[in-house]
Amino acid sequence: MLKHRDVYDADHELFRDAVRGFVKAEIAPHFDRWEEAGIVDRSYWDAGGKAGLLCPQIPESYGGAGGSFKHNCIVVEEIAYAGYAGPMTDYSVHSDVCAGYLLHAATEEQKRRWLPRMVSGQTVCAIAMTEPGTGSDLQAIRTRAVRDGHIYRISGAKTFISNGQHCDLVIVVARTSDAPGAKGLSLVLVETDRPGFRRGRNLHKLGHLSSDTSEMFFDGVEVPVSNVMGAEGTGFATLMTELPQERLIIAYQSMASAQRAFDITVDYVRNRKAFGQPIADFQNTRYKLADLKADLLVGWAFADQCLEKHVLGQLDALHASTAKLWCTEMHGRVVDTCVQLHGGYGFMREYEICRLFADARVQRIYGGTSEIMRELISRSL
């Protein structure tokens, strides 16, 4: 990562050192096995809780460390820079996405029940937005939560749900009324041990192999009315409030992963020879790397600027969408160029750049596709 970034202070860097130690001790020895299995061990969540890496922004009153979202970004940066996209995604969805909804939209009772368990790793959380026929069109959601006295009965299907196999709690985006479009959507907490909840298969993906991604089915799952987050019908408004944070953290995922690809490629071209000289000595190589370094410098500067806005409560949809669009698209360009500079070896799975290339592709899709980001940005024209 870049040094001397003004967004972080000395205490943040101490925390970074602790995260690096965790990565070496708790991820590196198991990563290849997790990738092959398509899922991390449940003990990974216990270890993250003990190390203070889960939900570091949660206030002490709810069992957290009382940090800021800068601590969340450090966790993501270090796991992503180490090249471990799957384990990074698992923690990020739990800490950077789901915890934000609970912290800002849940009732006091819901916060006191769930946030300490999420901090410790006792409860793994997922958020279920996407459905087989909706993609990024949240207003087309069909999952229904029908009220019957003091309960809701939830029926529907979700797909592409990160943490789908491990999760104990799911934030479900469901339609609670017949109001059209966004007006009828609510967020409902569903414990995965309730009758009628069923996990589908662990989906086989191009990248992020060790991150469990699943289908989910809700067959008349009954939950108390008290499981609704916020007022009924306010789900879409809450989503729009929380999505900028999700998009910011995806930008950070891409920045750290792109930096990793760049750094290992610089080392490779300095040592790999062609026509009697290191590949790095060719003008074409130097100029391509210069372009990539410029992209990385600009990306880090803008991401850090957005992070400063976010911790002050000033990050808007325009800047978050711009960060997500630019950083993830840049990430794609970087890894593609780095594979090219590796030549044929870049296409071999035994070389890290090949995995980084595969892991990068989803960044332009989840959390809102690049096309959706462009649509959001265009509204400010």
Side-chain angles (χ1 to χ4, degrees):
M1 242 70 63
L2 295 179
K3 297 180 180 179
H4 310 301
R5 290 160 60 198
D6 292 339
V7 72
Y8 297 125
D9 61 24
D11 289 339
H12 291 125
E13 296 307 325
L14 288 175
F15 180 69
R16 186 185 298 280
D17 289 341
V19 177
R20 286 178 180 170
F22 176 88
V23 170
K24 290 178 181 178
E26 301 293 344
I27 301 180
H30 312 292
F31 179 70
D32 289 341
R33 177 172 56 83
W34 291 346
E35 287 279 281
E36 186 175 349
I39 191 170
V40 303
D41 296 334
R42 182 61 188 235
S43 59
Y44 174 57
W45 292 96
D46 299 328
K50 290 178 182 177
L53 270 60
L54 301 180
C55 313
Q57 81 280 31
I58 298 302
E60 294 179 6
S61 56
Y62 300 117
S68 75
F69 200 71
K70 292 182 180 182
H71 294 88
N72 296 56
C73 290
I74 290 170
V75 174
V76 161
E77 285 180 21
E78 290 303 319
I79 301 178
Y81 184 75
Y84 303 135
M88 177 271 296
T89 299
D90 290 348
Y91 277 7
S92 187
V93 169
H94 174 89
S95 298
D96 311 326
V97 181
C98 296
Y101 283 90
L102 280 152
L103 186 60
H104 302 131
T107 65
E108 187 64 21
E109 180 182 356
Q110 290 167 347
K111 292 177 186 178
R112 295 199 176 280
R113 180 182 181 188
W114 293 114
L115 287 177
R117 301 182 192 188
M118 289 176 64
V119 170
S120 69
Q122 178 184 354
T123 292
V124 175
C125 194
I127 184 164
M129 298 187 205
T130 306
E131 296 182 359
T134 63
S136 295
D137 185 7
L138 297 178
Q139 297 187 45
I141 282 173
R142 299 176 63 183
T143 296
R144 296 298 300 264
V146 179
R147 184 165 182 169
D148 182 6
H150 297 293
I151 65 168
Y152 282 103
R153 289 190 180 90
I154 303 173
S155 298
K158 300 288 184 179
T159 194
F160 306 146
I161 309 305
S162 298
N163 293 339
Q165 296 295 312
H166 272 310
C167 63
D168 309 287
L169 181 70
V170 187
I171 302 170
V172 179
V173 184
R175 194 164 293 283
T176 49
S177 77
D178 294 326
K183 296 180 180 179
L185 296 179
S186 300
L187 303 182
V188 186
L189 293 168
V190 177
E191 302 92 338
T192 58
D193 59 356
R194 289 187 177 274
F197 173 83
R198 180 165 53 92
R199 305 176 203 270
R201 60 197 174 99
N202 191 12
L203 301 171
H204 298 289
K205 308 182 295 296
L206 170 66
H208 294 234
L209 300 184
S210 50
S211 176
D212 53 310
T213 307
S214 309
E215 302 165 317
M216 288 182 176
F217 302 97
F218 303 84
D219 302 317
V221 179
E222 295 186 359
V223 300
V225 171
S226 59
N227 275 29
V228 172
M229 292 175 60
E232 184 178 297
T234 63
F236 190 78
T238 303
L239 289 168
M240 293 304 100
T241 299
E242 292 300 317
L243 279 170
Q245 177 169 292
E246 178 177 354
R247 288 161 181 165
L248 175 62
I249 203 65
I250 292 173
Y252 269 88
Q253 295 170 11
S254 279
M255 288 308 309
S257 299
Q259 187 71 54
R260 173 71 175 191
F262 175 82
D263 289 349
I264 66 172
T265 300
V266 169
D267 288 340
Y268 179 82
V269 299
R270 284 173 174 167
N271 291 291
R272 177 73 174 173
K273 291 186 177 181
F275 303 103
Q277 63 179 347
I279 297 172
D281 288 348
F282 289 95
Q283 185 184 71
N284 177 72
T285 302
R286 298 198 312 272
Y287 282 13
K288 284 187 177 295
L289 291 173
D291 284 341
L292 298 187
K293 184 164 186 176
D295 278 345
L296 287 163
L297 287 169
V298 171
W300 282 118
F302 186 68
D304 288 350
Q305 177 183 324
C306 288
L307 177 55
E308 290 284 18
K309 286 180 176 291
H310 185 52
V311 296
L312 295 173
Q314 299 172 359
L315 181 65
D316 56 20
L318 170 61
H319 286 80
S321 300
T322 301
K324 205 273 184 184
L325 173 66
W326 198 90
C327 293
T328 59
E329 291 285 340
M330 180 274 295
H331 183 189
R333 295 193 303 272
V334 168
V335 293
D336 186 74
T337 301
C338 290
V339 166
Q340 191 72 19
L341 289 171
H342 276 73
Y345 291 104
F347 201 64
M348 301 295 114
R349 289 291 299 192
E350 64 188 277
Y351 278 74
E352 183 181 1
I353 191 60
C354 183
R355 173 164 47 81
L356 293 175
F357 179 85
D359 288 339
R361 190 59 187 86
V362 75
Q363 300 294 111
R364 289 173 273 168
I365 297 173
Y366 69 2
T369 63
S370 289
E371 290 72 28
I372 294 296
M373 297 304 100
R374 292 183 177 102
E375 177 63 27
L376 294 171
I377 294 167
S378 72
R379 294 175 186 176
S380 69
L381 299 178

